[in-house]
Amino acid sequence: MSPVLRVGRHVMSSEFRRTKLRAMFEAFDADGNGYLEEADFVALADRWGRLPRVREGSELAARVDGVLKGWWQQLAESVDTDRDGRIDLADLLAMVDLLPTIPEAVTATADTIFDAVDENADGRISRGEHQRLVDTWHGRPVETGGAFDRLDHDADGYLSRPEFAALWTQFWISDDPTEPGNLMCGPIGAG
């Protein structure tokens, strides 16, 4: 049996996927009103704009802003069927179900996030840089435990750009709790 079944415009996801994405939904919901709205994505872009490499006016700042606000546009166009400017968790799950059909958008997001958190621009993400990624997504410090060790499959102490992209894609698409990419934004339930 497939873990994801389409019911109308919404997706019936496994409890694992719902738990994983609920944490992201809560992190994105800046005002805590239970919906994602355009203002939440503006706040998310502002939060990412505070990272050291994402200097105001820089090309990277424009990319971060464009990618994060672009996801609001994608949500609004793809799953906000009543056009009320509000996305609930079921809508977000429906969008995630569409991600395999737009892999270039997932990869572009991974590339931009990689560049934003690669503070020393050495082309790899260290344990500390990964921690900043998690804290930035959640908008607060999050205990990541051994998450980085699970992500760093070759145990070299870093995530390369290709490793990062694969793990990023796993996070957003995987419904398999054993895949390490599910820890990309922190331990499941860290929201």
Side-chain angles (χ1 to χ4, degrees):
M1 179 164 87
S2 172
V4 177
L5 303 171
R6 238 186 225 294
V7 177
R9 70 178 177 87
H10 296 293
V11 173
M12 297 285 296
S13 294
S14 72
E15 189 57 35
F16 170 74
R17 182 177 275 174
R18 290 183 67 78
T19 299
K20 175 176 66 169
L21 294 175
R22 185 178 299 115
M24 289 287 77
F25 184 91
E26 291 169 0
F28 293 171
D29 183 12
D31 61 8
N33 71 352
Y35 294 96
L36 301 182
E37 299 162 306
E38 187 172 13
D40 294 316
F41 283 79
V42 170
L44 183 62
D46 290 345
R47 196 161 67 213
W48 278 89
R50 293 191 291 264
L51 290 174
R53 280 196 67 202
V54 187
R55 292 179 306 282
E56 188 173 340
S58 71
E59 178 271 337
L60 183 55
R63 281 178 45 213
V64 167
D65 192 69
V67 163
L68 295 175
K69 291 177 183 173
W71 279 110
W72 166 252
Q73 286 304 118
Q74 188 74 36
L75 282 163
E77 292 168 11
S78 300
V79 297
D80 184 15
T81 57
D82 61 4
R83 302 292 180 233
D84 66 353
R86 296 165 55 153
I87 305 295
D88 62 19
L89 181 59
D91 292 330
L92 179 64
L93 289 165
M95 183 69 217
V96 168
D97 197 38
L98 297 174
L99 293 180
T101 67
I102 52 171
E104 64 286 344
V106 177
T107 300
T109 303
D111 284 342
T112 298
I113 298 302
F114 184 96
D115 290 339
V117 298
D118 182 14
E119 290 180 10
N120 60 2
D122 67 352
R124 52 194 191 164
I125 303 298
S126 68
R127 181 182 305 273
E129 289 167 335
H130 175 257
Q131 181 68 54
R132 279 181 284 293
L133 175 147
V134 173
D135 294 348
T136 301
W137 271 124
H138 290 277
R140 62 178 172 71
V142 172
E143 176 57 47
T144 58
F148 187 82
D149 294 329
R150 295 256 338 266
L151 297 170
D152 183 16
H153 185 70
D154 62 6
D156 68 352
Y158 298 95
L159 302 177
S160 68
R161 187 177 295 273
E163 288 173 312
F164 186 90
L167 292 163
W168 186 261
T169 300
Q170 274 182 3
F171 177 82
W172 288 105
I173 296 174
S174 175
D175 202 20
D176 179 353
T178 66
E179 289 189 326
N182 288 309
L183 300 173
M184 188 61 138
C185 296
I188 305 303

